Amino acid sequence: MNALLKHRLTWPVLALVLLLVLNQLFRSDFLSVRVQDGHLYGSLIDILRNGAPTILIALGMTLVIASRGIDLSVGAVAAIAGAVSCTYIYNSPDPTSLRTAAIGVSIAVVAGLALGLWNGFLVAVIGIQPIIATLVLMTAGRGLAQLVTDGQIISVSNDPYQAIGAGFFLGLPISILIAVAAFAVAGLLTRRTALGTLIEAVGINPVASRLAGLNARTITWTVYVFSGLCAAIAGLMISSNVTAADANNAGLYIEMDAILAVVIGGTSLAGGRYSLVGTLVGALIIQTLTTTVYTLGIPPEVTLVFKALVVIIVCLLQSSKARTLLGKRKRPLTEQAEVKVAV
Amino acid sequence: MNEIVPVVDMNNISIEFPGVKALDGVSLRLFQGEVHALMGENGAGKSTLIKALTGVYAIDGGTITVMGVQHSFSTPAEAQAARISTVYQEVNLCPNLSVEENILLGREPRRRGGIHWREVRRKAKDVLEQLQLGHIDPGSILSSHSIAIQQLVAIARSVQVDAKVLILDEPTSSLDSDEVQQLFTVIRTLRDRGVAILFVSHFLEQVYDISDRMTVLRNGKLVGEFMTRDLPRMGLISKMIGKEMDALAELEEAESRREPDRSERVPFVQAENLGRKGSVQDVTVAIHAGEILGLAGLLGSGRTETARLLFGADRADQGQLRIGGTARTLRTPRSAIDQGVAFSSENRKEEGLISDLSVRDNLVLAMQASKGWLRRVPGHTQDQLAEKFIRALDIRPANKDALIQNLSGGNQQKVLLARWLITNPKLLILDEPTRGIDIGAKTQIQKLISSLASDGMSIIFISAELEEVLRLSDHIAILKDRRMVADIPNDGVTMEDVMTIIAGSNA
Amino acid sequence: MSVLTRTPAPQGRTRISRLQGKARYAPTLATVGLFLAMFAAGAIMYPGFLSGQVFLNLLIDNTFLIVLAVGMTFVILTGGIDLSVGSVVALSMMIAAALLQAGWNPIAVIALVLLTGATFGLLMGLVIQVFEIQPFIVTLAGLFLARGLCYVISVDSITVTDPFFTAMAQARIPLTGNLFIAPGVVIALVVVAIAFYVLHQTRFGRTVYAIGGGESSALLMGLAVPRTKVLVYGISGLCSAIAGILFSFYSLSGYSLAATGLELDAIAAVVVGGTLLTGGYGYVLGSLAGVLILGIVQTFISYEGTLSSWWTRIVIGALLLAFILLQKLFSRKVKLT
């Protein structure tokens, strides 16, 4: 078991280390972290801070994918969360107070939970394929966010709210602390209880799980609600970081980044066994890649090309088929047929 | 006897998988116009040999000669080009397409401007009529037909491609006896036309009914080739399992039934006219503690459906159900489990195993599900339970961390049994617990069932093998055409008695 | 045991299967019905809606989406998905604009763009097939790659001034009365016709359906599964390139952010058109109807005037949901019969 886990994480960790070394070669101060005004600064901290929304969303996505699902709506949910909180703060009589910020945040969190409930309802109760069920919200979600903001970019100036994405606590960016806390909670929740195993059981064989007495519906529902929650918090981070809600562009393509992070981290899109640590590494790889492109002085828009290449390389490395092909060409057809027949 | 050249001559075939020698110098000859049975226990190498002949596996040693030409197939298409067709247990056709398309897919007649659909219809009709299957509408969608019809369509396809060799891999395992007879009629028609037929089945009677010759494998090695009429059943069995009659003797032992304890007057489960539209009707049974109820009936008669109703896997919409003396409505398996009912499905792979999880995770799954996700069964308790049941049921390999998908069918079945035994159910419903597993494991499971009943557990036992039902059960509920037609105490009931009831009752 | 009489009544079966044969068309018929109902509703609500030109404008404004939906139908019928189409449209537009700016012959440009699109699709198909990686992930990489390559060509938008392209943009083909269409409509409808022919009259097309019905079955039946699977992505890539050219005719420019999220519209159109996302069931004509429905939603919102543009997205989402629920109902019915 340990060997398997190690095996799974070997490549992603190696890729991350390589990227970091590459950066260090081009910019000698890359790995250094310095203290300024009691706050930590440096490229590594930036990577963590900018990656925090992706990490959060990927965290929720991991559990959804493990349950044999997928959540395409997270970007839209993040946009809605930012939209409702900023719109509330903007319209409130006291737009700078802590209380207003707290209420705004609560509204966003409730919205995220509600949207997660909605996705979970479509998947678990109506029984729609997850990719399709969440496609609905992915399609309509940004329209809803625009409906909330009335098509405007809503700017707010509320210090407590701004702290979520840009503030520091004990020298560390608050967004990182939130992401770490979410990770710890998710880890404890899934591995100290039986939730993790049960999610995997549902993901591997939903029919057998039901017949074993598992309440698959509750479990499926739980993971989508959790994913909605993560997306909402990520949406708060994003909007707080720019102190504005942009219904069109907040969290654009973040669902893709999150899914990539999960896949790079070694969790199969087919559901079943998952690795939260793997997802963390995957999200960091994606964020480091973006930073690397800046470091190398390449136009930032071209990051997408590199992202595509990383996806392809990582998937090829993880594909057992590719390994067999690269290794010895021992009857490739055999395994293919066997796997498919077994399904 | 002059030397006839075989249609297929597989000589000295070897196939290796990483760490396993699946086939070791096995030979197989198929002649024109014969039905040849391929026999062996699970793991003997039957399916590997078939896959070598159908191009799914490449061979590592030996030669395959088909009609005088040596081949080394590397895709199913190549084997089909050599006029070898295969019909698998799980029908390998496309459910979304019409019957006619499934018969002609990939070889549709064409004319200028594309597929000649009228000609497709004509050819399909023609083939179906040749097999006396003219009642099947060629334009109907395949998924609208029963598995049996779908299988016959698959055979029609092989006739259409003018196959010289037809491989039937467990074709009868989901057919009832009528359908089997219909299938055999088709097989004989094809045999008389000179097709060489390779027949694989777990049902001994069917093998003796249909085959002319047989090849027996054991542990990936060839035991021999025999004329069916020269090899008595006992001889065949001992060649398959490789040891003398020990296992068979054990099988006999299980026959000594114990008296059920009927001291408790209220039956644990009592169903009255329980039913569900489109599933099964008129289920009226009473099961006391320590009793074994056998469900008999042909395949499709409603045995599994009955089990699913009593387990809440399907919701009943008629009749009453009392569990432990109280009226209950079972909406989900969960609610049945809470009443002490457990159900082990006939469909191990799809409805039982969590393939990517370990033996231990699979073992404690039902218990964990009962406790809910918040209260995790502590790790050391899991380990203890796993070790205890691995020992008690002789599960091999005795490794609780092994992935369950790597175990043999019999051992997987034991794990699934143990999954429910851990929860200590009052009623255990076993749907085909002994299907497709080797004789050794089968005996162990039968013994286990007897001893569980002796300890006071109620058991519903479902098996396609009527003799097995008769041997184990205290009383027998008989189903026909999705209706329960009788519930008789098992005091010297014979197979003929049951068959008479099934044949005689007009449900 | 052979004394038992045959239980299944053959006649009952054929009746069921005939019913089911019709049920196959149910989602597509619902789409066409919905379109007609919406058109009728528009005619009642707005003066001037009930005109041939309003209908033809639906086609004119959505030529590229029609072609995209056709390619997407092939992919989805096999049970796959192609997320890259929007980006490939943008890439096609960028290549065309850049080459035209450099003074290339427009016909050569079009040929090269189509070749690039088809090759791009084929490469994705090869990766999916040879390395057995999920289509979702591979085409996601394709989405990133194509979009990134747009920026490599140019970060700014490039205007197309080529006489052939501007002529195509302005050309109108008169029909009877005062009605007219654009050349792009003819191209799109030809693509639909060819796709219909290929899917229903060629072995390749039938193999596409067979793969959607059961890939391992199709493989064991000796069908050319690997080749077909690679080709459908090639077709989708080719359609994306054609759509890119049509979009260029429409917008006369190339810019890197063009057609963002267009893959969602294409998928929505295919689903609303009655194709099951699990593969095996659906028709290319349904996808055409699906595009027209998306188009009419937009027309409605522009006629309404008081509704803001974001309602389009919300309504499309709601339609998607409605059709998914309909499909769910349909497949449940099939199971019962």
Side-chain angles (χ1 to χ4, degrees), chain A residues 92-337:
Chain A
S92 81
D94 184 14
T96 52
S97 76
L98 175 65
R99 189 169 163 271
T100 309
I103 295 177
V105 167
S106 317
I107 295 175
V109 166
V110 169
L113 291 173
L115 293 170
L117 270 175
W118 163 256
N119 282 331
F121 172 76
L122 290 183
V123 175
V125 181
I126 309 281
I128 300 172
Q129 263 177 291
I131 189 171
I132 311 172
T134 55
L135 185 66
V136 172
L137 194 52
M138 184 195 193
T139 310
R142 287 188 187 276
L144 290 173
Q146 278 176 305
L147 190 65
V148 172
T149 61
D150 203 27
Q152 309 293 313
I153 293 178
I154 309 274
S155 294
V156 295
S157 55
N158 178 310
D159 289 340
Y161 188 70
Q162 211 174 330
I164 302 171
F168 286 83
F169 182 70
L170 296 178
L172 279 168
I174 289 178
S175 57
I176 297 178
L177 294 176
I178 294 177
V180 168
F183 238 88
V185 168
L188 286 176
L189 202 65
T190 54
R191 290 308 183 199
R192 285 288 149 176
T193 70
L195 189 60
T197 314
L198 297 190
I199 289 174
E200 288 177 336
V202 170
I204 295 167
N205 191 340
V207 179
S209 301
R210 174 173 180 261
L211 287 179
L214 232 103
N215 198 338
R217 194 174 276 186
T218 319
I219 295 200
T220 310
W221 222 329
T222 311
V223 295
Y224 284 95
V225 170
F226 182 64
S227 174
L229 176 66
C230 288
I233 299 175
L236 287 171
M237 280 181 190
I238 294 168
S239 74
S240 140
N241 211 8
V242 296
T243 63
D246 179 352
N248 264 323
N249 297 313
L252 193 64
Y253 286 135
I254 203 168
E255 60 276 345
M256 303 301 175
D257 279 350
I259 294 168
L260 285 184
V262 175
V263 172
I264 292 174
T267 302
S268 160
L269 271 183
R273 308 301 288 264
Y274 68 86
S275 160
L276 290 181
V277 180
T279 297
L280 180 63
V281 174
L284 289 177
I285 288 179
I286 291 174
Q287 197 55 47
T288 310
L289 189 70
T290 313
T291 312
T292 309
V293 170
Y294 280 103
T295 312
L296 296 180
I298 301 169
E301 289 89 353
V302 185
T303 313
L304 285 172
V305 175
F306 288 93
K307 235 184 228 178
L309 294 178
V310 167
V311 177
I312 293 168
I313 292 168
V314 170
C315 284
L316 286 184
L317 287 174
Q318 284 176 356
S319 150
S320 56
K321 188 64 189 301
R323 251 182 247 148
T324 5
L325 286 182
L326 292 174
K328 45 178 190 170
R329 291 187 65 97
K330 167 93 178 161
R331 52 173 110 85
L333 181 89
T334 306
E335 290 172 18
Q336 179 186 343

Side-chain angles (χ1 to χ4, degrees), chain A residues 191-195 197-198 200-201 204-205 207-214 273 330-331 333-334 337-338 342, chain B residues 16 55-58 60 74 311 313 333-334 337 349-357 365-366 368-369 373 376 420:
Chain A
R191 290 308 183 199
R192 285 288 149 176
T193 70
L195 189 60
T197 314
L198 297 190
E200 288 177 336
I204 295 167
N205 191 340
V207 179
S209 301
R210 174 173 180 261
L211 287 179
L214 232 103
R273 308 301 288 264
K330 167 93 178 161
R331 52 173 110 85
L333 181 89
T334 306
E338 180 127 277
Chain B
E16 274 177 67
V56 178
Y57 290 162
D60 293 320
S74 57
F311 184 61
R334 178 78 258 139
I337 293 166
K349 201 143 107 200
E350 261 118 58
E351 300 186 348
L353 305 175
I354 310 291
S355 54
D356 261 349
L357 292 186
L365 186 66
Q368 183 64 64
W373 62 265
R376 178 169 177 266
W420 290 114

